[in-house]
Each structure stands twice: as structure tokens, then as C-alpha cells.
Amino acid sequence: MSVFGASVFLLGQYIPHGHCYLWQTGLVSLHVASDAMIALAYYSIPTMLIYFVRQRQDVPFSKLFWLFGFFIAACGTSHVMEVWTLWFPTYWLSGGVKAITALISVYTALELYPLIPNALALPSPEQVKQIDTEIKQAKAAQIESETDRERLALALAAASTAAWDWDINTNQMYWTPEHEIIFGYEPGRPYRVYEDWSNRVHPKDLHQVEAIIKNALNKQIEEFKAQYRIVLPDMSLRWIDAVGRFLFDAKGNAVRMIGTLKDITERKQTEENLKESEERFRATFEQAAVGIAHVSLAGQWLRVNQKLCDIVGYTREELLQLTFQDITYSEDLDIDLGYVNKLLASEIDNYSLEKRYIRKDGSLIWVNINVSFVYDTVLPRQPKYFIGVVEDIDQRKEAEQELQALNDVLMQTTNLLRKRNQELDQFSYIVSHDLKAPLRAIANLSEWIEDDLEGQLPEENQQQMQLLRQRVHRMEDMINGMLVYSRAGRTEVAVEPVYIKDLIEEIIDSLAPPETFKIIIPSSNPQLMTKRLLLTQVLANLISNAIKHHERPDGTIEISIKDLGNAYEFAVADDGAGIAPEYHDKIFGVFQTLKPRDGNENTGIGLSIVKKIIESEGGSITLESDVNQGATFRFTWPNATT
């Protein structure tokens, strides 16, 4: 051990410090207790300071806290040495502790001195309290701002409106979720850059929108408005309506731009459809072959097309200065206004009227108007104005007047013709009666001569008498045929239901054909609404001709029918000698026969009567025949039910 070390711990050179107190128990105890308590306090204080500094890394001047801790601990050790030296005189050790304490104190003082201004700058408790209050208020304001932002975002989303906030200096943008969705981005990254916007704008619109922004920045225009297209990742196009506002600093530099935007694609499509509809309506309105007009509820012309101007002879500008009352003929105005009042009172939805307009040159023109309402799109069932369609019927009216005049003439002619027909019927009856009376007298006279000269007349004279009576009977048949022909088609006959098969059977039974003839009739029995008497005349004539003009005593006649929908087609076919084609038209003429009358008791009127009856009923008759091929008479007969 060195001399110094030995001297430090050498106990025999010095006397204990307690001798100074004469080892008085009270005095020694006082110093021991005081130094011990001071030492305990000095050791506990740095312990707590060091614990505090380690737990609060954010506390300023942490080094100073450590120095104070070491300084106070050294002071506590010096007090421990005071107690120790009461019994153990190790004054060198005690002095060394005090020297260490002095060094630490001086170093702490040196470190503390430059920190005094910073320490003095620390806020006072009142200031700390005020700062704390301000911090709390700022936090509350921030929370309220975030709440307002959330409320604004919800309101904008509910209105399908997006918002943005563009920091021009940093080129950073804040987008609401609705903005991200509209521009085809996944929501959740609200902070964007300028390129996120420009990359979506349609290339043909980007230059225009950027020009608007640049112009606003250069001229310090606060408001920004633009409509442009964006192209989404799926290449679909959307229309955007953007409204914004620039914020400028004190030097006039734009620092911020805020605004809202909406997807107006559907509105644009609606506007485009409306525009196309208006174009179609305008084209229809102007190119219509009739006059079209919009008229106010008071009668003022609001809109007219060129055709209406042509009808009334006014220019468009002249007509728009007038009302429909001004150009309506006075005799037709009350009727027109009566309909208008009913329309306004909702008694009718529209009306049509034929009336006269007074043209610009003073002449009258007949028109047919169709009038209805155009209703307000906002107020239901609230009429906005009249729409009228005006048709020029002047020529039709003239034609109707001419037709009425012709009808009057026709009526007079018809009455005159009816009177002439009655006179002709009376004349025909008188002529028939006056002609048949002497013919019957001739026939009776020939029979009387034969009776008176019975057995005296040679056979040749008897044959001549019979030939005379045949000629008389044929003459009488011709007179009867002429009477029937003259009345054919002019006699009023009632329409009644007729079963065709039953009618044919009745006709055949009345004709009593020879048993050697075979007559085939239809198997079906359809009902026909017709004039029974006339159809009976036609069928009876054709069937009897087929029997009478057959070259053999036996033969086959087939009667068939075919439903044509609005008529029936009848056919009467035989297997007789047939008729050469050059005679097909001749046989329907009056008094036309194909055989000499001396060998055939035929008047030549029957087929002409048949044709006249058929044609008067709206049908037609044809002949299909050739020599030795039989004959088929085919005719159509209308069904009165159709």
C-alpha cells in the first residue's frame, strides 16, 4: 500500500471527530441523526430524478438532470462521511469525497450556466395551461373539421357529387371517394397528384380544360367552370361537369384550387336525345304536307310552319302578329270558340272541325282542323298551349259541291228512269197482252177450222195447221221471254236463307227430266243468303238447256258448287254435243240460237236472261266448251251475308 493510501486509512494519526463533541451523547446523536437523514434524502432524490429522466425521454435538459443526480448523490455521501468520521478519523477519505462532490458541483454549474436562457424561455405554468387549452381547442377543431369533412363527403355522395382540393405548390390533390369512383379509381387513396386527373381526361378535351385553368391563373379569375369527357379503363366515355374556385395569396399567386364535379353522362345523353327529337320534330313540323301551328290559350299564333302560311297566304312574321280569331270566317267562329271553351273546361280532349279561313287576299278557303293541348311538363294536366293540324280541303269541298250537284242530277235522272221503267213495264204488259190476244185467236181459229173440216182436210193441210199453231205458240213464248228479259234485274226480290242442295233438288223435281238422264248434285248443303227466285231462274234455265239441247236421249249432267268466301261458284256441266268456241259469245245474245227455229222450238232469249240476272246481282258467267266435248256453264253468285 502506498504512503498516501496508508495515511488515508491510518486510524492512529488523528482522533475521531466525536472528541470534538466531548462524546456528549445528545450532541453526537443530533449530528448522526441529521447527517443520516440528509444522506438518505440525498440518495433518494437522484434516484427519483434518474427514474423520471429514463421514463420521460422527451424531457429537455436530460443531461442536467443526470448531473444534478450525481451532485446530490455525492453530497449525500459527504454527509455519510461526517457520521463515519465521528468514530473513524479517515479524514483523507472524507476530503476526497468532498473533492469529488466539488468537481461534480463545478461541472454541473458550468453546464447549467448556458442553459439558463433556455430554461428561462420555458413557459410558465400559466402559459403551459394556456397552451394546453389551445391544444385541446385545436384538437377539438380538428375533430370538428374531420366531422364536417365526413358530413360533406356524405352529402356530396348523396347528391352524386364529388369534390377535390388541389395544392398547386405541392401538386397534391385531395379527392373524395365519389371523385375516385367517378374517375374509375378504387376508393381509399384520397391523396392524388395532378397526373391522376389528366391521365383520365379525353385527349381532345385536355388541352381545352388546361387552357381554361391557365387563363384563370394568368388573369387571377377565381371561378372555374368546364365540361369535359373522361376515358375510363374499360374505354367507356363519361361526361363531367366541374365547378371550382382558385385561392390566391397576398402576392396574387394561386396556391390552392377547390371545387366539385358531377357525372352528367346521362344528362348529356338525354340532351342529345332531346336535341335529336327536336330536330326530327322541326323537320316534321316544317316539311309536313299539312299546316301545323302552336297557338296560345288566348288564340295567338306562337309557331307556324310554311304549309300553314301557304294555306292562308300570310308570311310567317305576319301570321305571328295575329290570332286564329282574326282569320276565321265570322259564320264559323262561334262554333270554333265553342269547341275551344269545351277543351279549356276539360269536357273534351280534342276536336275536329271543318271551317273557313279568310286568306290575306280576302278569299275564303275551307280547312279541316284537329286541335288538342300540349301540357306543361312541370304542372300535371296544366295546358300550356294548343297544337293544331290544318288541312286544306278547299278542293275537296268544291268536289263535294260538284258531287252534290251530280247527285241531285242523278236523283232526278233516277226518278225519271224509274218513271220511264214503270211506263215501259206498263207498255210491255199492254203490248204483250195486245199481241198475245190475236195470236191466241189465230191458234183457236185454226183449231176451229180443223174441227169444222174434220175428215175433209188433206193430210198436208193438217200439217200446215199444226205448223201454224207451233209458230203461234213460239211467237207467244218469244213475247213472254221479251217481257221477262225487260224486267230482269229490275224487280225487287227479298233476300232469304237458301240451302243450295235443297234448292237444286227442288228445281230438278220441277223439271222432271227423263229417267234416261243422270244428274249429279253436290253432296254438301251450304246455306246462302240470296234472292231465291232469281237463283232458281238461273239454275232452272241452265239445267233445262242441258237436257233439252242434248243430242242423245240419255246423258249426264253434273252440278257442282265451290265456296269463294264472299261468293259461290256454280258449274252446270253436260256431256252433250258441245259448242264451238266461235259461238261462245253469240249464245248470250237475245234471239240467238245455234239451230234453225223450224227444227227447234227455242226463242233464243233464255241465256240472255240468265246473263242479265247474274250480272245484275254482281256475278259473272262463262262457258267452257268445244265440239263433241260437252259444255260447262260456270257462274259466280254473291253471298248477301258478306
Side-chain angles (χ1 to χ4, degrees), residues 234-348:
D234 61 0
M235 303 308 294
S236 62
L237 292 179
R238 309 296 293 177
W239 272 97
I240 302 299
D241 183 19
V243 178
R245 180 176 291 274
F246 288 98
L247 301 179
F248 298 90
D249 60 14
K251 296 180 180 181
N253 298 318
V255 295
R256 189 178 173 194
M257 180 185 182
I258 58 175
T260 61
L261 59 84
K262 292 190 69 173
D263 183 343
I264 59 169
T265 305
E266 293 183 1
R267 191 183 83 188
K268 277 287 185 180
Q269 187 62 46
T270 302
E271 290 175 354
E272 187 65 25
N273 294 340
L274 181 60
K275 183 179 179 181
E276 292 179 3
S277 177
E278 289 178 348
E279 289 295 332
R280 288 195 299 269
F281 173 77
R282 185 177 295 107
T284 302
F285 188 89
E286 292 298 335
Q287 299 173 14
V290 294
I292 304 178
H294 294 170
V295 183
S296 73
L297 301 182
Q300 185 76 37
W301 300 102
L302 301 176
R303 184 178 183 181
V304 296
N305 67 349
Q306 186 57 44
K307 182 62 179 179
L308 180 59
C309 296
D310 296 339
I311 290 173
V312 297
Y314 288 93
T315 65
R316 196 186 306 264
E317 293 73 17
E318 291 172 338
L319 198 55
L320 294 180
Q321 302 301 316
L322 302 174
T323 65
F324 79 86
Q325 296 94 324
D326 294 333
I327 65 171
T328 299
Y329 187 52
S330 58
E331 294 183 5
D332 302 333
L333 183 58
D334 289 342
I335 299 175
D336 199 357
L337 292 177
Y339 280 117
V340 169
N341 291 332
K342 288 184 178 180
L343 202 59
L344 292 171
S346 299
E347 296 179 10
I348 57 176

Side-chain angles (χ1 to χ4, degrees), residues 35 74 110 208 227 258 272 331 370 456 493 538 588 592:
D35 286 326
L110 293 175
Q208 177 184 359
Q227 289 186 358
I258 58 175
E272 187 65 25
E331 294 183 5
N370 288 277
Q456 299 179 22
V493 180
V538 172
F588 291 106
Q592 298 297 319

Side-chain angles (χ1 to χ4, degrees), residues 572-583:
V572 179
D574 63 61
D575 58 352
I579 302 173
E582 59 267 25
Y583 299 115

